[in-house]
Amino acid sequence: MKIGSTLRVVGVIVFAGLVSGCAHVPPASDPAGRAAFLENNDRLEPMNRVMFKIDQAADKAIIHPVISTYHHVVPDRARKGLLTFKHNISEPVTFVHNILQGSPGAAGRTFARFVMNSTIGFFGFFDVAEKAGMPFRSEDFGQTLAVWGVGEGSYVYVPFLGPTTIRDGIGLGIDSFFVDPIAWYSYNPHNAQWVQWAELGLIYVTEKDDNMEALDELRKSSIDYYAALRSAFRQIRASEIRNGAPPPMEDLDAPQ
Amino acid sequence: MNRRSATFLFAAAVFAPSFAWAAETDPTQFVADFAQKGIVDILAAKVPQAERTQRFRTMFKEYFDLPAIGKFVLGRYSRNVTPEDQSKFDSLFEDVVVYTWARRFGEYNGQSLKVSSSTPDGGDGAIVKSSVVDKGGDNIAVDFRLRKRAEGYKAVDVIIAGVSMAITYRQEYTTVLAQGFPALVVQLQKQVDDLKKQQPT
């Protein structure tokens, strides 16, 4: 089965769920509840919590043990090398979005990173560009849409993939099928199809591994893990879109 | 999400000796002092866990504006909460934060905090940018949000790799508050009990 058709099936299932699982907006007589509802941007919360439960059950039974084994069996340096390699194959996508966001300087740095790391960085296993003062910065279509003024859309929790938003989910789909050079490579039936599967596996394992420790800690330190994860995810995306600037906290100084 | 909590302990705890010369009114000095005290009196101190936890609690209350954080965390719900409930929440919240950090004191492994800059924020406040650097040279961005109070600067938030502790608690707790204030109190009490069981001896 081709990866494109597999993901399309997943997409159809997710969007069928989207139309069925909407939350009730708290009435105007409950201003605090309404404010919290709007701040959390989770119109699909009932469906999302079901998806989250499925995801957590699968995580506990299969994914966490597998990633944990990977974490403990594969030496640190090898895991770091694979993560760097994964970052490197994403640089062409970042480059396209640097341009689409109107940042030619960032595009130049991304290009330089890709050339340096792919050559003297031994096919991207070593991040020599970071040591030369050009740290990794990831851009994607979700961030470009945000820069263009497109709102998040509701928060969405997708089993096995994790948290996203309507905007970022659509962005990921477009990046995966139309921007990523490996997708273009695999559109040619004469080319090896396993390459795209290998890419997917690499992205999945390295990202899960990179986040595992933080997620374990978040789970242990929260009373509503679903809500804490939603908050942390949306803050990280917002921080990426602001390119690292601290978040605004408008009502911190407002009289209560 | 990156290493939210691995760092959130060290953020509070490590210091940059190069900033010891700075003036007392300097927000960067406030953060450096906090980190220095944290590492000398708590993380590197050879005292029992209970003593470390007590020192951390005292320090946390001294350097952070806990009532302001408590109000922010409850969001608009804080308008409906009685003063008794607010103080009940404040003391549970203090316990949650203290025991969350305290159970990881033993993981300290020579990290240091490099303070890099301070920018004005919210009228008379400041955001101090810094990074926690470990022995391998990896670093994670940690920003402190400060406000000026009568007795000097107080921290109102810590932002680790783009994730604000205050905003995360607020968005988590206001979700629980949809079930009412008593539900939040019950769950926080249970969380405090669980965290106490996870403390190293």
Side-chain angles (χ1 to χ4, degrees), chain B residues 97-153:
Chain B
V97 176
V98 167
Y99 290 118
T100 297
W101 293 31
R103 74 194 215 290
R104 306 195 62 171
F105 287 161
E107 292 171 29
Y108 177 70
N109 188 23
Q111 288 83 351
S112 64
L113 188 83
K114 219 174 86 189
V115 180
S116 52
S117 68
S118 167
T119 47
D121 181 70
D124 56 0
I127 287 187
V128 176
K129 287 190 162 293
S130 67
S131 53
V132 173
V133 186
D134 71 17
K135 283 176 178 166
D138 286 342
N139 64 79
I140 295 142
V142 180
D143 302 338
F144 292 81
R145 194 183 295 261
L146 311 183
R147 287 291 177 272
K148 206 161 200 168
R149 304 296 187 220
E151 60 275 45
Y153 280 111

Side-chain angles (χ1 to χ4, degrees), chain A residues 12 51 68 84 95 150 153 157 171:
Chain A
V12 169
M51 296 298 154
S68 185
T84 310
F95 177 80
V150 178
Y157 198 93

Side-chain angles (χ1 to χ4, degrees), chain A residues 6-17:
Chain A
T6 313
L7 290 181
R8 265 176 218 122
V9 172
V10 173
V12 169
I13 294 168
V14 168
F15 279 90

